Amino acid sequence: MKKTISMVLALLMLTALLCSCGSAVQNEGLTVDDFADSSENQQGWLRLHESSLVINPDEYQGNESGNGNRLGLNLGILDEAGNVTKSINDLIFLIENNSANGVGGEVAWTTSGLDDIGTALRWGSKATVDYNDGSFVASSTGAASSALNFATRLPIEFSKDIVAIFNISNYSAGATFVKDDEETEPGWGLSGSIQVIHPDGKETIAITAQASNEETGRFVAYFSDVVASQTNYNLAEATGQMNGTVTIYGDGTTITVDEYQVVYIDKGFHYADSEAKTTWYPYAIVSELEYPNGTKAETTDFFSNYSTVARKITFKAGGLFTLAGKVEGTLTYDEAGNVMIVEGSGYKYVISPKKKQNVMFYNSEDDMLNNRNGSTEPTSSTKYWTVSLGRIEVDTDVFVAVSLDASKDVETLVTETKKATESGNTDKRLDYVKDFWESYIHVFELPNEIITNVPGSAE
């Protein structure tokens, strides 16, 4: 019943807007944004005419989904009469890493515990350091760059996430300098190196924690996340050592480091404490959610074609995110093509996550959230997969798509899914769908034309 009521409400709103214009040019001045609905009574679902898919099938059937705390993408398979025959929730969702933004954890090392910065830093005659109870001022005095290396080598274990946090309260630019025959602006940088010690050998991974010409503030560096994406060894069998470095560029460049600390945080992920805020548009469903550690994401879900739903993820606040999905069927991972292929009873779907970083598979939700018993290859018992998105900056976009169809072969679904996430295609297709609906608003007089005619394939 709610499905019918929701459709009528949407049409009534549309009719009211359309009828208010009454000019020779149909609906002049209206855009798709005029139909945005963020109310509690919003339609909540989206379907292309004659498509066998619906976004948010629970809402389509008059119910509410229970996964709004993770920005889950939910799809339903419809029969010819428009009834949901299969509902699949959490095909794609987002989880925040426990270590996002360096919240919580156990302090493993900090400059505030040093009696004298001189015992912890090595520097040459080209730099000076003034230390006072955990805070230090470092100045370059003549060299193109001066590296201050912490003499303390911190022994580390990889059973927890390793996060570096530092506060830069002041920065004063020095002189430009010549590097590689080019004049270079002054600045500062913080970096670290972690030596992975494994029974089969050793490797050293360099990490740029922060590089800036002018920024100050609180910065977070996810050291273990970088190591996990670059190492050739199984970290569960390894130990390590870490060095920290502060580098200042340009004669007379000065920074004040209020504190530099390394913390250990339990591995794993979590959902948000609240539900997403959702806005319905004729062409897409847009949802926004803030997670406990301060990261914030916005998703835009829309039809790329009749059997493919594309998702654009825009991050509104920085942090550390992981893309995940629940498996409804038997999963095969094509590592070369970076696609998840799932075959169930009477249906199959393909997910193209675009990113390919630290892909893991788990047999239960609890294992996934606690990042334990994971494997790099799926099994017949796999129920969840994750792909690390790494450190996220504000306004970063990530694209992912799902192709779901019972009649099409896997190869066709892979092609459709990959096409939806090719460089620039998601944004282009989104623009196309928006333009289509805008054209309909301006061309057709009867409101029912809006729902009985839908976009074809983008040229």
Side-chain angles (χ1 to χ4, degrees), residues 17-31 438-446:
L17 284 168
L18 294 175
C19 292
S20 66
C21 295
S23 60
V25 177
Q26 294 292 336
N27 317 312
E28 185 175 8
L30 287 179
T31 70
E438 218 132 87
S439 297
Y440 255 74
I441 290 168
H442 295 154
V443 171
F444 289 90
E445 180 177 358
L446 298 176

Side-chain angles (χ1 to χ4, degrees), residues 302 423-435 458:
F302 63 98
S423 180
N425 272 11
T426 307
D427 269 337
K428 288 179 182 177
R429 181 59 182 170
L430 182 57
D431 288 341
Y432 174 84
V433 174
K434 290 175 66 176
D435 289 344

Side-chain angles (χ1 to χ4, degrees), residues 124-325:
S125 60
K126 301 295 185 179
T128 60
V129 179
D130 181 23
Y131 171 79
N132 182 21
D133 192 24
S135 176
F136 62 92
V137 180
S139 300
S140 176
T141 56
S145 64
S146 300
L148 295 81
N149 302 302
F150 288 95
T152 302
R153 281 194 172 189
L154 179 66
I156 54 175
E157 301 287 341
F158 295 107
S159 59
K160 294 191 176 184
D161 280 331
I162 307 157
V163 181
I165 304 169
F166 38 91
N167 288 279
I168 309 298
S169 61
N170 187 55
Y171 163 74
S172 177
T176 58
F177 62 97
V178 176
K179 181 180 180 182
D180 298 330
D181 298 325
E182 292 185 4
E183 191 171 86
T184 303
E185 293 296 319
W188 60 266
L190 289 104
S191 59
S193 64
I194 290 183
Q195 184 182 50
V196 179
I197 305 169
H198 190 271
D200 295 333
K202 299 179 181 179
E203 62 184 356
T204 300
I205 296 172
I207 301 168
T208 300
Q210 186 72 27
S212 177
N213 289 329
E214 58 185 23
E215 287 185 274
T216 60
R218 180 181 184 270
F219 301 96
V220 178
Y222 307 107
F223 281 2
S224 56
D225 189 64
V226 175
V227 173
S229 67
Q230 295 186 12
T231 186
N232 296 312
Y233 296 124
N234 180 359
L235 292 177
E237 301 173 4
T239 59
Q241 294 180 336
M242 193 191 86
N243 291 334
T245 302
V246 178
T247 306
I248 42 183
Y249 303 91
D251 184 24
T253 297
T254 300
I255 63 168
T256 302
V257 182
D258 285 334
E259 186 171 46
Y260 189 155
Q261 64 179 12
V262 176
V263 299
Y264 291 150
I265 299 175
D266 289 339
K267 288 182 176 293
F269 315 97
H270 50 249
Y271 301 129
D273 297 327
S274 58
E275 298 287 306
K277 297 178 181 178
T278 302
T279 302
W280 178 91
Y281 293 87
Y283 66 91
I285 294 177
V286 179
S287 304
E288 185 176 286
L289 186 61
E290 183 170 355
Y291 288 74
N293 288 12
T295 51
K296 185 184 294 184
E298 178 185 271
T299 59
T300 302
D301 298 326
F302 63 98
F303 283 92
S304 180
N305 62 33
Y306 286 98
S307 56
T308 302
V309 174
R311 164 170 282 196
K312 177 181 179 181
I313 308 169
T314 301
F315 295 97
K316 299 296 186 178
L320 199 63
F321 265 116
T322 290
L323 186 70

Side-chain angles (χ1 to χ4, degrees), residues 69 78 89 121 124 146 235 278 284 309 334 447:
N69 63 344
L78 307 175
N89 288 348
L121 292 171
S146 300
L235 292 177
T278 302
V309 174
D334 178 357

